[in-house]
Amino acid sequence: MATIKDIANKLGIAVSTVSKGLNGASDISDEMRQLVLDTAVEMGYASKKMRSQGKRKVCILIENMDYENIDQFGYEIIVGFKLSAARRHWDVSVIPTNLNMQTQEKFDTYMLKNGYSGAFLLGFALHDDWVKQLHKTTVPTVLFDNYIDNNNHVGYVGTDSFEGINTAVTHLNDLGHTKIAFLNGSKNSMVSEQRYQAFVQSMESCGLTPHEELIEYGYYVPDCAKYHVPTFLKNGATAIICASDLIASGVISEVTKMGLRVPEDISVIGFDDLPIASQLNPPLTTVRQDRIDLGKSAFLLLDGLVHNVTISKMLLRAKFINRSSTAICSSTAISKKTAEKTIIDEV
Amino acid sequence: MATIKDIANKLGIAVSTVSKGLNGASDISDEMRQLVLDTAVEMGYASKKMRSQGKRKVCILIENMDYENIDQFGYEIIVGFKLSAARRHWDVSVIPTNLNMQTQEKFDTYMLKNGYSGAFLLGFALHDDWVKQLHKTTVPTVLFDNYIDNNNHVGYVGTDSFEGINTAVTHLNDLGHTKIAFLNGSKNSMVSEQRYQAFVQSMESCGLTPHEELIEYGYYVPDCAKYHVPTFLKNGATAIICASDLIASGVISEVTKMGLRVPEDISVIGFDDLPIASQLNPPLTTVRQDRIDLGKSAFLLLDGLVHNVTISKMLLRAKFINRSSTAICSSTAISKKTAEKTIIDEV
């Protein structure tokens, strides 16, 4: 572990200057401050405060995820994390980030400068600058729904995609559906890839064929439904599993717009169980990600990493919530209606 | 949550009798006591003490795993668990079990009778009575290297098999080995199945062919090597990955007995990094399972389950330890020597 003196020796400057640089004093130049911080990061320096066993200061960095009110995905994750952190007297800052912030400063420098001894990253993508830097960070960091190879300081927390998708497929199989479509989240995301694999495996283990023309990638907004639902129906789908409740709400609208009924003609299943799910018409059958538990688990994982326990993955149970948007497959009725509809569309 | 009164009502007996049954008082019959305990378990009763936020009493149940001295696999797992438990003032009992104990009493009854509010199970197999009962238990339970579907009260902790096997295969591929054998642990074990999948996938992602005749299941003792090493060598293996250091020690003996040298002729990799690994001749290249961290993680997971956080899986980093039992592949030399040896054997 590098000391302030080590940094001073390396840079050939006074210990007091290093100290000023690390503590944000105003009487040194910005350039010198940056040099001190970069060198400190490079040498793996952590202040006494950051290493102390008592009150710790950590942050939740968040981008690309709504979290400001209780209906939004990130809200309860943050609540869960804070609940657990409070029991251990940790101080938690919630910081919205953006790509600009990430290009301006390195992740490790940002953490050191602000005295954070750990971070929980929500909504980040693998191609983000800070996530790329996680391959080499020494700051204990927990990623939601993303995994970094070969770095003991970084862990991944998420809901078990396999269990989640499997319960949905099994439920539809039990209802007699065979042509099941899957409207996934965005491409190039680890969790979308997991869910794709889970869908294919679950279909096969139910003895069903996963048809490539019934599997599409969308995005986590209702609007993406309109690009895929018509094709799914044309190709004979009687049920659609969606990667989020928001996507499912779009799918229900789109199916209804096409003159079909949910669940009588088409069954729809969501993912997440946001508060909106039970408010939809019909109330949405979905796979619950317990967001309070995700937040609590992220804390447990970060606590482990801070104490050098090399946990890399922590998965939570996915819970199937059976409401009213699925029904027994009446495939003949559907094929007929869809065929009529397709003919009308094509005329 | 059922109360003592609920149990008394259900059985039509006095509250004081239920209390005596639960607390092991001697002035009621054994039959009555068993009835009270069984009913309490069935109704999901937990005593105030078991539910209290303060000092908890938990147990580590262990079978089929050596743990009594520092050279053995289970030793540090228990140390790690106890270290974390001590920080939280939990009381930990280590209890060796056997199949007999498991047929005599149900798992939940055993836990209730002894006032344990959680358990960590080491060395159990999926077909053990108590493990089968875990599908329905309400007692927070952590399993090492085994997973139970659809029960929020049970979690699985282990080392990431994929990461572990992948580092071993990649290392051998970098050394020019193409005919790599895998001597796995016992069949019908979740972790052996994971490692098998990991081996096949890692070979393929290195552009190598996993040959079925170079993959065998053994058992976690050195002696199993003699049944498989001759066949591996006959089939042209130049490297052998083993599912444990003990198996690897047997493989080294067997290779040497056959007149070949490790690592000049045959490279050998172990798994676990037990203290014995560095004492072997040559010192064993292996994949480390950090057993202290496994114990600490098991505690973190149990702590989560006790607080109703629905974690189902917790995986630890596997660390590649490069010692002296692997070397650059000199395949021509080997094929010649093995061919000669085979001819001699067959004469």
Side-chain angles (χ1 to χ4, degrees):
Chain A
M1 178 73 71
T3 64
I4 291 194
K5 211 172 157 194
D6 295 333
I7 301 168
N9 281 343
K10 171 139 189 187
L11 292 175
I13 59 177
V15 166
S16 60
T17 312
V18 174
S19 176
K20 282 178 185 174
L22 292 172
N23 296 312
S26 57
D27 59 343
I28 65 165
S29 70
D30 285 350
E31 290 74 18
M32 179 55 85
R33 182 163 190 234
Q34 198 56 49
L35 182 66
V36 167
L37 284 168
D38 289 346
T39 310
V41 164
E42 192 188 303
M43 296 178 75
Y45 171 81
S47 70
K48 257 190 203 157
K49 214 168 167 187
M50 286 162 72
R51 283 178 285 123
S52 82
Q53 295 302 309
K55 195 174 175 70
R56 280 174 199 279
K57 200 176 144 194
V58 298
C59 60
I60 299 177
L61 296 168
I62 187 160
E63 69 161 22
N64 232 335
M65 183 187 288
D66 295 323
Y67 65 97
E68 278 159 333
N69 73 62
I70 197 166
D71 295 325
Q72 296 176 324
F73 189 78
Y75 186 88
E76 289 189 339
I77 299 182
I78 294 174
V79 170
F81 188 92
K82 283 184 166 177
L83 279 172
S84 293
R87 279 177 54 208
R88 217 65 62 74
H89 310 293
W90 287 25
D91 184 39
V92 182
S93 313
V94 177
I95 302 159
T97 49
N98 52 49
L99 295 180
N100 197 20
M101 187 167 159
Q102 294 180 38
T103 45
Q104 272 170 9
E105 192 151 45
K106 282 192 180 164
F107 175 71
D108 283 13
T109 309
Y110 179 83
M111 298 296 288
L112 177 64
K113 200 163 90 178
N114 292 286
Y116 294 127
S117 49
F120 176 30
L121 271 56
L122 278 172
F124 282 67
L126 285 175
H127 54 73
D128 288 347
D129 277 344
W130 278 4
V131 175
K132 283 191 210 152
Q133 292 166 21
L134 292 183
H135 288 279
K136 298 212 166 148
T137 190
T138 56
V139 178
T141 303
V142 174
L143 269 169
F144 173 68
D145 270 356
N146 267 319
Y147 174 69
I148 297 289
D149 272 332
N150 296 321
N151 184 345
N152 286 353
H153 303 287
V154 185
Y156 143 48
V157 70
T159 302
D160 188 334
S161 294
F162 185 82
E163 187 177 42
I165 295 294
N166 189 51
T167 55
V169 171
T170 307
H171 172 75
L172 291 172
N173 181 48
D174 290 346
L175 292 172
H177 293 272
T178 56
K179 299 204 82 175
I180 303 173
F182 179 39
L183 183 42
N184 206 340
S186 26
K187 215 161 180 163
N188 300 321
S189 126
M190 188 190 74
V191 79
S192 297
E193 178 55 26
Q194 282 178 355
R195 289 172 181 181
Y196 170 79
Q197 298 291 350
F199 179 74
V200 171
Q201 282 180 42
S202 303
M203 289 290 283
E204 285 168 353
S205 75
C206 283
L208 302 176
T209 311
H211 297 281
E212 280 305 323
E213 70 273 19
L214 294 180
I215 304 176
E216 291 293 346
Y217 290 86
Y219 191 67
Y220 295 104
V221 292
D223 202 44
C224 78
K226 67 179 179 207
Y227 302 107
H228 307 293
V229 170
T231 325
F232 286 162
L233 298 186
K234 208 163 157 179
N235 288 318
T238 62
I240 304 173
I241 297 174
C242 308
S244 83
D245 295 341
L246 292 181
I247 298 177
S249 75
V251 166
I252 293 177
S253 303
E254 198 57 33
V255 167
T256 313
K257 211 185 286 170
M258 292 180 73
L260 295 170
R261 295 161 305 164
V262 175
E264 295 83 351
D265 302 323
I266 302 288
S267 288
V268 177
I269 298 184
F271 208 101
D272 292 345
D273 196 29
L274 290 178
I276 188 198
S278 57
Q279 308 302 322
L280 291 177
N281 180 19
L284 188 67
T285 295
T286 189
V287 177
R288 181 165 175 75
Q289 298 205 58
D290 191 311
R291 294 173 297 283
I292 292 279
D293 279 3
L294 279 168
K296 287 182 174 175
S297 302
F299 175 82
L300 282 177
L301 177 42
L302 189 57
D303 189 26
L305 295 175
V306 161
H307 292 98
N308 296 311
V309 183
T310 57
I311 304 162
S312 60
K313 296 181 184 171
M314 204 155 167
L315 292 183
L316 271 81
R317 299 272 173 193
K319 193 175 173 199
F320 189 73
I321 308 286
N322 196 357
R323 295 202 183 90
S324 316
S325 62
T326 52
I328 288 176
C329 175
S330 57
S331 57
T332 359
I334 315 293
S335 335
K336 215 175 131 214
K337 281 207 185 192
T338 320
E340 281 163 11
K341 175 72 185 140
T342 310
I343 291 162
I344 292 164
D345 279 355
E346 284 172 353
V347 167
Chain B
M1 179 73 73
T3 63
I4 291 195
K5 214 174 156 192
D6 296 332
I7 301 168
N9 281 343
K10 170 139 190 187
L11 292 176
I13 59 176
V15 166
S16 59
T17 312
V18 175
S19 177
K20 281 177 186 174
L22 293 172
N23 296 312
S26 57
D27 58 343
I28 65 166
S29 70
D30 285 350
E31 290 73 19
M32 179 57 84
R33 182 166 190 232
Q34 198 57 48
L35 182 64
V36 167
L37 284 168
D38 289 346
T39 311
V41 164
E42 193 188 301
M43 298 179 75
Y45 172 81
S47 70
K48 259 190 201 157
K49 214 167 165 188
M50 286 163 71
R51 284 179 283 122
S52 83
Q53 294 303 308
K55 195 174 173 73
R56 280 174 197 280
K57 200 176 144 194
V58 297
C59 61
I60 299 177
L61 296 168
I62 187 161
E63 70 162 21
N64 232 337
M65 185 188 287
D66 295 323
Y67 66 95
E68 278 159 333
N69 73 62
I70 197 165
D71 295 325
Q72 296 176 323
F73 188 79
Y75 185 87
E76 289 190 339
I77 298 182
I78 294 174
V79 170
F81 188 93
K82 284 185 165 178
L83 279 172
S84 293
R87 279 177 52 207
R88 217 66 61 73
H89 310 294
W90 287 25
D91 184 38
V92 181
S93 313
V94 177
I95 302 159
T97 51
N98 53 49
L99 295 179
N100 197 22
M101 188 167 161
Q102 295 180 38
T103 45
Q104 272 170 10
E105 191 151 45
K106 283 192 180 165
F107 176 71
D108 283 13
T109 310
Y110 180 83
M111 298 297 287
L112 177 63
K113 201 163 88 175
N114 292 286
Y116 294 126
S117 48
F120 175 31
L121 270 56
L122 278 172
F124 282 67
L126 286 174
H127 54 75
D128 287 348
D129 277 345
W130 279 3
V131 175
K132 284 191 209 152
Q133 292 166 21
L134 292 183
H135 288 279
K136 298 210 166 150
T137 189
T138 55
V139 178
T141 303
V142 174
L143 269 170
F144 173 68
D145 269 356
N146 266 318
Y147 174 69
I148 298 289
D149 272 331
N150 296 321
N151 185 343
N152 287 352
H153 304 286
V154 185
Y156 142 48
V157 69
T159 302
D160 188 335
S161 293
F162 185 81
E163 186 176 45
I165 295 295
N166 190 50
T167 55
V169 171
T170 307
H171 172 76
L172 292 172
N173 181 48
D174 290 346
L175 291 172
H177 294 270
T178 56
K179 299 205 80 175
I180 303 173
F182 180 39
L183 183 42
N184 205 341
S186 27
K187 214 160 182 165
N188 300 320
S189 126
M190 188 190 73
V191 79
S192 297
E193 178 56 25
Q194 282 178 355
R195 290 172 181 180
Y196 170 78
Q197 298 291 350
F199 179 73
V200 171
Q201 282 179 43
S202 302
M203 289 289 283
E204 285 169 352
S205 75
C206 284
L208 302 176
T209 310
H211 296 281
E212 280 305 325
E213 69 273 20
L214 294 181
I215 304 176
E216 292 294 346
Y217 291 86
Y219 192 68
Y220 296 103
V221 291
D223 202 44
C224 78
K226 67 180 177 206
Y227 304 106
H228 306 293
V229 170
T231 325
F232 286 162
L233 299 186
K234 208 164 156 178
N235 288 320
T238 62
I240 304 173
I241 297 174
C242 308
S244 82
D245 294 342
L246 293 181
I247 298 177
S249 75
V251 167
I252 292 177
S253 304
E254 198 59 32
V255 167
T256 312
K257 211 185 288 170
M258 293 180 73
L260 295 170
R261 295 160 305 163
V262 177
E264 294 83 351
D265 301 324
I266 302 288
S267 287
V268 177
I269 298 183
F271 209 101
D272 292 345
D273 196 29
L274 289 178
I276 188 198
S278 58
Q279 307 302 322
L280 291 176
N281 180 18
L284 187 67
T285 295
T286 189
V287 176
R288 182 165 175 75
Q289 298 205 61
D290 191 312
R291 294 173 297 283
I292 292 278
D293 278 4
L294 279 168
K296 288 182 173 177
S297 302
F299 175 82
L300 282 176
L301 177 43
L302 189 57
D303 190 26
L305 295 175
V306 161
H307 292 98
N308 296 311
V309 183
T310 57
I311 304 163
S312 60
K313 295 182 183 171
M314 202 156 169
L315 292 184
L316 271 82
R317 299 273 173 194
K319 192 175 173 198
F320 189 72
I321 308 286
N322 196 355
R323 295 201 183 92
S324 317
S325 62
T326 52
I328 289 176
C329 175
S330 56
S331 56
T332 358
I334 316 295
S335 335
K336 215 175 131 214
K337 281 207 185 189
T338 322
E340 281 164 11
K341 174 72 182 138
T342 311
I343 291 162
I344 293 164
D345 278 355
E346 285 172 353
V347 166

